[in-house]
Amino acid sequence: SLLQEMTPGITATGRENVNIVQHGNSLTIGDQVQIVLSGHSLSPTKMSVTTTQQGLPAPPVRARSKSPKPGKCTAHNRFHHNCCSPERKRTKDDIKNQSAKNAERMRSRSRSNLLSGSRQDLRSSRTNLAVNGKGSISEKVMTMDEMKELLSCNQDLLEQFVLENTDLETLERWMQKRAKSLNQPIKPARGKNKLAKWKYSVNTDKRSMLEEMTTHLVGSTNKGQIMFELASCISSAIDADSVNLYLVESEGQLCRFVPDGSGLPRPDPQPVRSGTTIAAHCGKVRDIIRTTNCGKDPRFPDGVLGCKVLSKVLCHPICSEDEELEAVIEFIKEGKGSAFTEDDIEIVNSYLVWGGVAIHYADQYSKVQHQKFVNEFLLSVVKSIFQEMISMDTLIVQIMNQAQKLVNADRASLFLMDSKTNQLYARIFDVSSGDKEDGEVQQADKDLRFPIGKGIAGYVAETGETLNVADVYKDDRFNPSIDEQTGYTTKSILCMPICIRGTVIGVVQMVNKKGDGEVFTREDEESFKTFAVYCGLALHHAKLYDKIRRSEQKYKVALEVLSYHNAASVEEVEEIIAEKEQLLEKNEDISSFSYYGTSLDDMTKVRKAIFMFVDLFGLERFEYDTLVRFFITVKKNYRAVAYHNWAHGFHVANSIYSILKASPGIFSPLECLAMYVGAICHDLDHRGFNNKFMIDIGSPLAAIYSTSTMENHHFNMAINILQQEHHNIFNKLSPDEYKQVLGNMKHCILATDLALFFPNKARLTNIVETNTFSWDSPDHRLLVETMVMTGSDLCASTKPWNLQLDTVEDIYHEFYTQGDREMASGRLPVPIMNRFHRDEQAVHQVGFFSGICIPCYSLLSQIMPTVSPMVELCADNLASWRKLAEERRQEKTTD
């Protein structure tokens, strides 16, 4: 065999002779392979293989007869490179490395079938052939026996070659053949199911075994059932009379498997330990046990569970890849028949190797199916909880029903935590899986309460641990009084905490798993743990919803109270209604760009505002009584601040009125309506602070509206007023008109945010400069509306100088109030809001007019020439501010 591995081109059998030519220390096998043996005997330390050309004899190899030089070994040749040097002592690693190189060289020559030596050898061979002709090679015929004798004399070489060039599979196969020829069985390692065991089953008909096993296992998905079918197959193969399967269902406990439909009672689990039964001891030591059921062995005096007859027993453990015990199979032969043999163990191992594959994939399939079920019912829970708002009681019933389906429990209870009283409570304390679809719900007249730490549920709430109690009456924490009151018998309980952010908010409890003798398993615990997370989210969501619902009711009550106090009183409404004819008389001066009603009281401003509205839109589509209530309520919802008050709202609406009266027909009636109502409401509930300040102080309004904070609030206040009873002045508009007016209103109110003025102005300026502006473009019309709203909001800059000075004084009063608040909170206000920079007011106003007012009115006058008086009045005020700023500068210089 060795020569066949080394020289694939040569066939050497017991019936054929091999032509071997010997010359000195060299052997030429056939006409191709030459073996050079160094030394003086046939026990070589090194070997070299060379070839000859086809049809030519190999050159003679002369034996080394010279005496070795001092310091060199007697076997020194060309393979002993530097090994004998006095400067370096050769180690074992050097010898191994050199041997490996030589063996690799031999294999490569054999594989390529060239069978040539080194180039130097080949050149030497050719030289010798040229010089000596045929050479002086003597021929000798060596039989197979002689070759065996040759190899037996060189066993070190044979061993080295086999170890370096033969894989483990081949070695194992040779070992099996050798053991079989000697009739000596090879015992596999016990207690573990590895694929290697199959290789030892040389005496077994594997095909028939697999066919029989596959037939029994087809269609089974339950892991226990598959193991039992596998055990039955093995029992039949080894002629056992009966078989028992013990499964590890809880840590350290073995429970005998009872197949479905057998009608046998489920036995109690037994601990995995020595000193009881054979199966328990087998699980403890995790080794194959072959014994008799005599009861005399101190390791397992109880023998086979439930078997009193003298019998032979073969017990085999089944372990996972992690070496965790999963099951124990117990085979029994009754009577005085033959005992189990090593062949039986071999057959068991063979079955378990391939049966383990089936069990593994069945287990994986079962897990996938179970996870699919869990995912499907969790999805249904999430849909029912988060797609519709439900009450807490409804949610609790849904949770308990779903939990029962998940772990196949007979009853379920859910207790919530009361952190104030440190108690668990429940109004819906029990849901049973009766004949009804959603089960039977027991609801108490009052909350069922008990302290944390009492009973199993109390213990779980206190510790946050999951409890799986197979027999509650053996647990001291169980309170049997409930069973005595209800007549229900509790056997097993699975109790788990429900947590949110690490805090226990409740406890869910499953009672009695369905099935004869069934208990809750580790798989139930894992599934229930995932479900508990969703329960926590659902309960947290339901609590938040209850809070939101209560807050909404409180908000409605508060809004009702505020509406009552901020809405128009009956007396005020009746007074203005009685003045209808007088109020609607013509007021010629009110449409002037220079008009500013600083001398009017608040109710007179209301009358003027109603007049302007009726003058612009008439009363055909509006109710006069509703208009009166609306404008009085708008007045009441302006705060009494220095500048952004009802008077400012009235003046901005008057400016819109003046622009619309001066430019009839440019805007549609609905656009005019949105601009006018938006102007009168554009600063509702203004607090006297700008948007940046509201964000800096963390105002709730800033949390609601991240951009244009106050402007969005002003629009929301206008909507609230319109929604009050008898205040909707748009109630006669069609739905589309109503939607358009509200959309335009919001657009106009948000345009009063100066932060939006600059981008709006830049866009409109570009359109005008490129001569692409068109009144037919909705986008262009909206941009013009923003300029009209900004110009009206700044209308104080277009009033006579004396009115301008009074208005600026009010503005700075409001600015300084905000600046004082900023300094009180440790922030430095900008100079325009810092009262210590009062002498710079004129300089600030010059910058304000030059950067905002004049550009706004100049751009607007290019599109609407009728507003040019506003540009002229604004320019006059700018000149006055410049003059005043120069005077202040000169005063500083003089000082």
Side-chain angles (χ1 to χ4, degrees):
S1 297
L2 173 61
L3 288 178
Q4 289 174 356
E5 295 279 355
M6 295 168 54
T7 58
I10 299 176
T11 303
T13 64
R15 296 188 303 269
E16 297 179 3
N17 292 329
V18 179
N19 187 26
I20 298 179
V21 179
Q22 180 178 2
H23 182 24
N25 285 0
S26 69
L27 293 177
T28 301
I29 303 174
D31 58 354
Q32 291 179 318
V33 181
Q34 184 180 55
I35 302 177
V36 178
L37 305 177
S38 61
H40 301 284
S41 66
L42 290 178
S43 299
T45 58
K46 295 294 176 180
M47 178 181 70
S48 172
V49 180
T50 59
T51 65
T52 62
Q53 294 179 341
Q54 185 70 28
L56 294 177
V61 181
R62 294 185 297 273
R64 298 182 181 269
S65 59
K66 294 181 179 181
S67 300
K69 294 180 179 182
K72 293 186 179 289
C73 65
T74 57
H76 181 78
N77 56 27
R78 61 189 178 93
F79 294 107
H80 285 218
H81 181 63
N82 287 336
C83 68
C84 307
S85 175
E87 292 83 5
R88 180 178 178 271
K89 185 176 181 180
R90 197 176 188 207
T91 64
K92 291 183 180 180
D93 292 338
D94 294 334
I95 297 173
K96 290 182 179 180
N97 292 338
Q98 188 62 45
S99 299
K101 291 179 181 178
N102 294 339
E104 178 61 29
R105 187 182 298 113
M106 291 166 60
R107 287 196 302 273
S108 63
R109 290 167 181 168
S110 176
R111 284 194 300 265
S112 63
N113 206 24
L114 296 177
L115 301 174
S116 62
S118 64
R119 294 183 179 179
Q120 183 63 37
D121 291 338
L122 187 58
R123 284 196 295 268
S124 300
S125 299
R126 290 174 179 174
T127 303
N128 291 335
L129 286 173
V131 175
N132 300 323
K134 294 184 178 181
S136 56
I137 301 177
S138 62
E139 296 186 359
K140 180 181 179 180
V141 177
M142 180 177 286
T143 64
M144 180 59 68
D145 293 336
E146 292 174 334
M147 185 179 297
K148 290 180 179 178
E149 182 181 357
L150 173 65
L151 294 176
S152 63
C153 294
N154 297 272
Q155 291 186 1
D156 292 340
L157 177 64
L158 177 62
E159 179 182 354
Q160 179 181 346
F161 180 83
V162 169
L163 292 178
E164 293 179 356
N165 300 277
T166 310
D167 56 61
L168 294 177
E169 293 288 339
T170 304
L171 286 174
E172 188 174 325
R173 187 171 62 252
W174 290 352
M175 184 172 62
Q176 290 291 335
K177 290 180 179 180
R178 179 61 174 168
K180 186 176 181 180
S181 65
L182 298 176
N183 294 322
Q184 294 180 359
I186 299 178
K187 300 179 182 180
R190 298 184 176 184
K192 299 179 182 179
N193 296 316
K194 303 294 183 182
L195 281 175
K197 294 179 181 179
W198 181 261
K199 301 169 186 176
Y200 297 106
S201 305
V202 294
N203 297 329
T204 314
D205 186 353
K206 300 179 180 66
R207 181 172 180 177
S208 61
M209 287 170 54
L210 293 178
E211 288 179 351
E212 179 187 4
M213 183 178 66
T214 304
T215 303
H216 283 80
L217 299 185
V218 167
S220 300
T221 57
N222 179 269
K223 185 176 180 180
Q225 189 66 32
I226 289 179
M227 282 190 175
F228 187 76
E229 294 292 345
L230 177 62
S232 299
C233 291
I234 300 174
S235 177
S236 175
I238 63 177
D239 296 327
D241 295 321
S242 61
V243 60
N244 293 324
L245 172 65
Y246 300 89
L247 299 178
V248 178
E249 295 187 349
S250 59
E251 188 174 358
Q253 296 286 325
L254 279 179
C255 188
R256 192 171 69 185
F257 176 79
V258 178
D260 296 337
S262 63
L264 298 175
R266 181 186 178 91
D268 296 331
Q270 54 178 317
V272 179
R273 60 185 177 88
S274 300
T276 55
T277 63
I278 299 175
H281 175 73
C282 179
K284 175 65 175 178
V285 298
R286 300 181 189 180
D287 197 3
I288 299 174
I289 305 296
R290 189 171 51 169
T291 183
T292 58
N293 185 29
C294 61
K296 296 181 180 180
D297 196 318
R299 299 174 298 172
F300 32 82
D302 295 339
V304 177
L305 188 66
C307 180
K308 303 301 183 182
V309 181
L310 182 65
S311 54
K312 282 60 173 191
V313 180
L314 174 61
C315 212
H316 199 299
I318 298 179
C319 300
S320 66
E321 289 295 328
D322 299 330
E323 305 301 332
E324 294 292 332
L325 182 67
E326 291 191 352
V328 173
I329 303 179
E330 189 176 57
F331 303 99
I332 303 170
K333 284 185 178 181
E334 298 178 357
K336 299 181 181 180
S338 61
F340 291 104
T341 65
E342 291 290 341
D343 286 342
D344 294 331
I345 296 176
E346 178 185 315
I347 294 173
V348 172
N349 286 331
S350 301
Y351 269 92
L352 290 181
V353 168
W354 293 99
V357 176
I359 292 172
H360 171 74
Y361 283 104
D363 187 34
Q364 294 298 314
Y365 177 78
S366 177
K367 290 179 179 178
V368 169
Q369 290 297 107
H370 179 73
Q371 191 61 44
K372 180 181 178 182
F373 166 73
V374 172
N375 293 340
E376 286 178 352
F377 99 85
L378 286 179
L379 180 61
S380 65
V381 171
V382 171
K383 284 182 178 180
S384 64
I385 292 171
F386 296 103
Q387 286 188 353
E388 58 177 311
M389 294 298 184
I390 54 179
S391 68
M392 181 66 79
D393 289 348
T394 306
L395 174 64
I396 290 173
V397 173
Q398 287 189 0
I399 288 176
M400 289 192 286
N401 280 327
Q402 295 289 356
Q404 283 180 278
K405 296 177 184 177
L406 176 63
V407 298
N408 199 24
D410 185 54
R411 290 178 180 266
S413 301
L414 177 63
F415 303 95
L416 299 179
M417 178 82 75
D418 187 346
S419 56
K420 295 181 180 179
T421 62
N422 208 28
Q423 291 180 324
L424 289 175
Y425 70 94
R427 289 184 65 247
I428 303 174
F429 62 89
D430 192 21
V431 175
S432 61
S433 56
D435 297 333
K436 299 180 181 179
E437 182 178 354
D438 293 332
E440 182 181 350
V441 180
Q442 295 186 17
Q443 185 166 349
D445 297 332
K446 62 179 182 179
D447 291 350
L448 175 65
R449 290 179 173 267
F450 55 90
I452 294 175
K454 183 178 180 181
I456 291 178
Y459 175 83
V460 170
E462 184 178 40
T463 62
E465 300 176 1
T466 299
L467 278 185
N468 185 358
V469 184
D471 189 348
V472 295
Y473 279 92
K474 294 181 180 179
D475 195 305
D476 296 336
R477 293 164 293 195
F478 177 67
N479 183 12
S481 61
I482 303 297
D483 283 3
E484 295 172 0
Q485 295 175 9
T486 61
Y488 182 79
T489 302
T490 303
K491 298 178 181 177
S492 59
I493 285 181
L494 175 60
C495 194
M496 184 170 292
I498 300 175
C499 302
I500 287 290
R501 299 174 184 173
T503 303
V504 178
I505 65 171
V507 173
V508 62
Q509 182 173 271
M510 297 292 105
V511 180
N512 289 358
K513 182 155 184 170
K514 293 181 180 178
D516 188 14
E518 293 288 335
V519 295
F520 297 107
T521 64
R522 284 182 293 183
E523 187 179 67
D524 293 334
E525 292 182 32
E526 292 298 324
S527 301
F528 205 50
K529 186 180 297 184
T530 303
F531 177 70
V533 175
Y534 285 89
C535 289
L537 293 175
L539 291 173
H540 184 62
H541 174 272
K543 285 186 176 181
L544 289 179
Y545 172 67
D546 283 346
K547 289 182 179 179
I548 292 172
R549 186 171 55 184
R550 288 194 298 270
S551 298
E552 184 180 0
Q553 299 303 321
K554 291 179 181 179
Y555 169 76
K556 289 181 178 180
V557 173
L559 183 61
E560 183 182 355
V561 173
L562 291 174
S563 299
Y564 175 79
H565 292 287
N566 289 335
S569 65
V570 177
E571 293 79 9
E572 291 172 327
V573 173
E574 290 178 350
E575 180 182 351
I576 294 181
I577 290 176
E579 302 172 356
K580 179 179 179 180
E581 294 181 1
Q582 180 183 356
L583 185 148
L584 297 180
E585 289 181 359
K586 206 70 172 175
N587 290 271
E588 298 295 338
D589 63 334
I590 198 171
S591 62
S592 171
F593 286 112
S594 60
Y595 176 79
Y596 209 59
T598 54
S599 60
L600 302 178
D601 59 52
D602 288 347
M603 288 306 296
T604 302
K605 291 185 179 73
V606 172
R607 293 180 176 89
K608 294 291 185 180
I610 296 173
F611 167 79
M612 290 186 289
F613 185 94
V614 175
D615 187 37
L616 287 172
F617 310 111
L619 292 174
E620 294 181 0
R621 306 189 67 182
F622 304 96
E623 297 176 353
Y624 183 74
D625 294 358
T626 304
L627 287 174
V628 172
R629 292 188 186 89
F630 177 79
F631 281 101
I632 294 175
T633 302
V634 167
K635 175 193 75 73
K636 288 194 170 187
N637 280 274
Y638 271 94
R639 296 198 181 195
V641 293
Y643 176 68
H644 293 93
N645 48 31
W646 163 239
H648 174 65
F650 169 77
H651 292 141
V652 175
N654 173 250
S655 181
I656 291 289
Y657 173 75
S658 301
I659 294 173
L660 295 179
K661 292 293 285 185
S663 309
I666 291 181
F667 297 103
S668 69
L670 293 179
E671 289 173 332
C672 295
L673 180 62
M675 283 193 289
Y676 182 80
V677 178
I680 202 76
C681 298
H682 86 284
D683 272 336
L684 279 171
D685 197 44
H686 200 293
R687 284 88 187 280
F689 307 115
N690 61 17
N691 289 333
K692 184 178 183 305
F693 181 80
M694 300 298 288
I695 294 173
D696 290 342
I697 66 174
S699 168
L701 288 176
I704 298 174
Y705 310 111
S706 58
T707 59
S708 300
T709 302
M710 294 308 301
E711 287 73 24
N712 276 292
H713 177 58
H714 303 325
F715 173 73
N716 187 57
M717 288 295 297
I719 297 299
N720 288 338
I721 294 174
L722 287 170
Q723 289 176 345
Q724 294 184 33
E725 189 177 6
H726 304 304
H727 282 73
N728 188 3
I729 59 177
F730 304 140
N731 61 345
K732 289 189 177 182
L733 300 179
S734 67
D736 291 339
E737 291 174 332
Y738 188 85
K739 182 179 180 181
Q740 180 183 345
V741 169
L742 289 185
N744 260 13
M745 259 184 69
K746 183 175 184 179
H747 174 73
C748 292
I749 293 176
L750 294 181
T752 60
D753 183 0
L754 284 180
L756 301 179
F757 163 72
F758 297 101
N760 290 335
K761 179 182 77 70
R763 289 181 58 198
L764 188 57
T765 299
N766 181 63
I767 293 172
V768 172
E769 289 178 352
T770 56
N771 199 26
T772 57
F773 178 81
S774 173
W775 285 106
D776 295 331
S777 171
D779 186 49
H780 295 179
R781 297 176 72 87
L782 289 174
L783 285 174
V784 174
E785 289 177 20
T786 63
M787 290 299 107
V788 171
M789 289 299 298
T790 301
S792 299
D793 194 21
L794 305 176
C795 65
S797 62
T798 66
K799 304 306 176 182
W801 176 246
N802 60 327
L803 296 177
Q804 163 69 186
L805 284 177
D806 293 340
T807 305
V808 168
E809 188 66 26
D810 293 337
I811 293 173
Y812 274 96
H813 183 275
E814 195 171 280
F815 283 175
Y816 293 154
T817 301
Q818 176 177 322
D820 294 342
R821 290 278 299 272
E822 289 181 317
M823 285 190 289
S825 62
R827 292 191 299 271
L828 181 65
V830 295
I832 198 173
M833 295 187 178
N834 193 333
R835 64 175 65 254
F836 297 105
H837 292 266
R838 184 186 296 271
D839 56 346
E840 299 176 4
Q841 285 184 5
V843 177
H844 297 158
Q845 288 303 305
V846 170
F848 180 70
F849 272 69
S850 302
I852 297 178
C853 299
I854 292 297
C856 176
Y857 295 126
S858 299
L859 178 60
L860 193 57
S861 64
Q862 294 181 51
I863 302 171
M864 301 173 61
T866 54
V867 303
S868 56
M870 302 181 77
V871 182
E872 298 170 1
L873 290 170
C874 185
D876 291 343
N877 287 329
L878 174 58
S880 299
W881 282 116
R882 282 175 175 167
K883 181 180 178 181
L884 186 59
E886 180 63 23
E887 292 175 358
R888 295 286 187 268
R889 188 185 65 80
Q890 292 179 358
E891 288 176 2
K892 283 186 177 181
T893 304
T894 304
D895 294 341

